[in-house]
Amino acid sequence: MPLHKDEILNSLAATANVAQFASFRPSQNGSLVQSYCRITGYEENHRFSSVREAIVALLANSSDKMVNIRSYEPQSPRSREFIYGLSSADAVVAELQRLSAERLHLIVNETIDVEDGGVSGVAQGQLIEFSPDDTPRCVEKPGVASLPFPLGMKVLETVYGFAPDLSFAANARVEFSIHPKPRGYHQRHTIIWEYERDTPNFLSPPISWPNRFSRHLGDKAFGLLIADSLGLPVPKTTVVGRRVAPFTFGRETGSFEVWTRTSPVEPQPGLYTTVKGWLDPFALLLKEDPEGTQLRSVLCQSAVRAKYSGAAVAGAKDLIIVEGRRGEGDRFMLGLDSPEDLPAFVIENVRATYSVLASRLGPVRFEWVHDGDVVWIVQLHCGATGTQADVIVPGEAKSWVEFTTAAGLEALRELLATLSEGQGILIVGSVGLTSHVADLLRKAKFPARLKPTVDRA
């Protein structure tokens, strides 16, 4: 006979960290009977004289002086109604009485702040899914971060500085939350909310972002974290974020210089600061995003002794476009310098890096720096483009507006803001198909192509 949820929770509490709780079952006469409890200051499964006494003790000892109610049918492993964040003992008892009238079994557990910078989610089989600012039921909503279990565990350990306590059987389904501060009955960083045995061994879908967790860290930070977790060369990077404590990943480059890079919620090609040298991250965040809605973090990244720099994108018809220049690539990415012919070994190395990334992520776009021996990834995004030859964004237009690349990215942003449906852009001048100019055009989705040059000879 399968165990009830509260029986499983009681068993888990012996070794795993659970939120403080008390559980109840309906009796034959309709009253509630206490089953189990774990409340700080009381013996395991202390028997309270009444439901109300148990709830008062749980509220008094909970970290945020609030509780949740989970209801379920004993023959069904999945929850029924879930009530979040009650702070009054009277309100809790009233809800328990209402739900027990439906012959539901009930678990009351302490509410733990889900907006503390941590994440909640579900681990099942080869898959782990999670989001910030939510309960484990976030997996039922769009935008959840969905990763292969080993990769997700490495990402979470890098960001939070500890390995989540999720060592369970491969066929288990585990609802969890991870917190920067110790929480729960055993005062640890990982809390287990529900545990089911003998569940399907889910396979992870292709990794994609933006998602809620990539927006939590900043798009650049998340992309580089994925590349590093896959074992690709990423320069040593320290992330100074708004929502999480600073964390570091990547490899030493042999250079003592650094780049300061802003990391917006989603890609904003060339809009925010990237500069060689160190800037005050807090002053930078205040200056460029005073409302705190667009920039999630600032990256301090070790410089690479650049012999060649550029970008690679997946274009139309599985075409891999590799472009770049000698030296550093910031002017090339801004569209201020044209691409140059690259040595064959550089193109070969970048394509090999692309193949490794694509084998795990599908089509990708990334910025790279080559130091003569190693291809370093300095920015990574997932997804293909429709770019090919002189077509940056495929499509036809009723009318075409010309834009000269020498005018710069900000002028292009202003122009794009004035365009309407049916219009397209003809780019006048030489620009890389992998540059921020091209990225911005692809993001805007208006048809865009390079204007043919006229041979006057």
Side-chain angles (χ1 to χ4, degrees):
M1 185 174 180
L3 295 176
H4 291 182
K5 281 181 178 290
D6 59 350
E7 292 175 322
I8 295 173
L9 198 59
N10 179 58
S11 177
L12 279 173
T15 54
N17 188 36
V18 299
Q20 297 178 81
F21 77 95
S23 65
F24 306 92
R25 300 180 184 183
S27 66
Q28 293 297 326
N29 63 13
S31 63
L32 282 172
V33 177
Q34 179 188 332
S35 301
Y36 303 100
C37 79
R38 289 291 191 283
I39 300 176
T40 301
Y42 295 85
E43 293 182 355
E44 293 181 8
N45 297 322
H46 172 82
R47 309 303 296 184
F48 289 94
S49 62
S50 66
V51 172
R52 181 182 178 82
E53 184 186 17
I55 299 306
V56 168
L58 186 55
L59 281 168
N61 285 279
S62 64
S63 56
D64 295 309
K65 310 304 179 189
M66 293 190 295
V67 296
N68 310 327
I69 300 175
R70 285 183 281 168
S71 62
Y72 65 97
E73 299 173 28
Q75 68 275 15
S76 174
R78 298 298 163 89
S79 296
R80 286 272 299 273
E81 187 173 349
F82 176 82
I83 304 171
Y84 181 83
L86 299 176
S87 57
S88 161
D90 290 339
V92 175
V93 172
E95 292 291 355
L96 293 177
Q97 291 172 342
R98 176 180 67 82
L99 293 166
S100 68
E102 301 179 41
R103 309 300 297 173
L104 295 174
H105 289 223
L106 304 162
I107 300 173
V108 185
N109 60 257
E110 63 176 327
T111 301
I112 294 179
D113 183 12
V114 296
E115 297 184 354
D116 62 355
V119 297
S120 300
V122 172
Q124 183 170 352
Q126 299 177 50
L127 173 68
I128 185 168
E129 297 185 318
F130 50 87
S131 286
D133 304 329
D134 211 335
T135 69
R137 289 198 171 190
C138 64
V139 299
E140 300 168 6
K141 305 173 185 178
V144 67
S146 185
L147 300 171
F149 184 81
L151 180 63
M153 289 288 283
K154 186 168 185 180
V155 166
L156 291 171
E157 182 174 0
T158 300
V159 173
Y160 294 107
F162 56 86
D165 296 328
L166 295 175
S167 298
F168 295 95
N171 64 344
R173 181 183 187 275
V174 182
E175 295 190 7
F176 66 89
S177 60
I178 294 170
H179 303 275
K181 293 170 62 176
R183 300 283 193 168
Y185 184 66
H186 291 299
Q187 286 292 291
R188 301 175 190 164
H189 293 283
T190 306
I191 290 180
I192 306 303
W193 295 96
E194 291 194 19
Y195 177 85
E196 295 178 32
R197 301 170 179 171
D198 302 321
T199 60
N201 190 357
F202 285 160
L203 295 174
S204 177
I207 302 166
S208 65
W209 68 95
N211 55 51
R212 291 176 64 185
F213 190 65
S214 72
R215 295 184 181 98
H216 187 60
L217 301 180
D219 192 86
K220 288 181 187 176
F222 183 82
L224 290 172
L225 187 55
I226 291 295
D228 177 70
S229 297
L230 290 174
L232 277 296
V234 172
K236 184 178 179 181
T237 301
T238 297
V239 179
V240 182
R242 292 185 185 271
R243 298 293 311 281
V244 296
F247 61 95
T248 300
F249 58 91
R251 311 179 190 180
E252 296 287 357
T253 63
S255 170
F256 298 104
E257 294 184 282
V258 298
W259 285 81
T260 301
R261 304 181 186 274
T262 46
S263 185
V265 176
E266 296 189 12
Q268 299 289 348
L271 179 60
Y272 297 106
T273 292
T274 291
V275 63
K276 194 171 189 180
W278 174 244
L279 297 178
D280 180 340
F282 305 104
L284 189 57
L285 289 169
L286 181 62
K287 176 183 177 182
E288 300 203 347
D289 182 26
E291 300 299 320
T293 59
Q294 298 303 313
L295 292 179
R296 273 294 170 263
S297 56
V298 172
L299 314 184
C300 175
Q301 189 174 76
S302 294
V304 176
R305 295 190 177 101
K307 290 192 175 180
Y308 303 92
S309 304
V313 302
K317 302 176 181 178
D318 297 323
L319 175 67
I320 309 306
I321 303 170
V322 177
E323 295 179 326
R325 290 180 59 89
R326 290 178 178 82
E328 294 173 347
D330 50 325
R331 286 181 55 84
F332 162 72
M333 293 306 303
L334 292 172
L336 301 176
D337 288 338
S338 303
E340 299 175 346
D341 290 336
L342 296 171
F345 79 93
V346 172
I347 295 177
E348 181 181 346
N349 292 166
V350 174
R351 286 181 176 275
T353 299
Y354 181 93
S355 295
V356 173
L357 287 167
S359 70
R360 299 295 302 273
L361 306 177
V364 294
R365 313 183 303 279
F366 64 95
E367 295 179 28
W368 53 267
V369 179
H370 200 300
D371 64 6
D373 295 308
V374 176
V375 176
W376 296 85
I377 297 171
V378 295
Q379 197 166 151
L380 173 65
H381 309 282
C382 62
T385 71
T387 300
Q388 57 180 326
D390 60 349
V391 177
I392 298 174
V393 182
E396 296 298 326
K398 295 178 181 177
S399 63
W400 295 88
V401 178
E402 292 189 357
F403 175 78
T404 303
T405 58
L409 273 178
E410 290 310 308
L412 178 56
R413 286 184 212 280
E414 294 173 5
L415 174 61
L416 289 170
T418 68
L419 295 188
S420 56
E421 187 176 351
Q423 291 186 296
I425 295 184
L426 285 177
I427 301 298
V428 180
S430 178
V431 67
L433 300 177
T434 62
S435 67
H436 287 327
V437 171
D439 286 340
L440 189 56
L441 291 167
R442 286 187 286 260
K443 186 179 177 69
K445 298 181 180 179
F446 290 103
R449 58 185 59 173
L450 301 178
K451 184 177 180 180
T453 58
V454 179
D455 186 357
R456 300 180 184 277

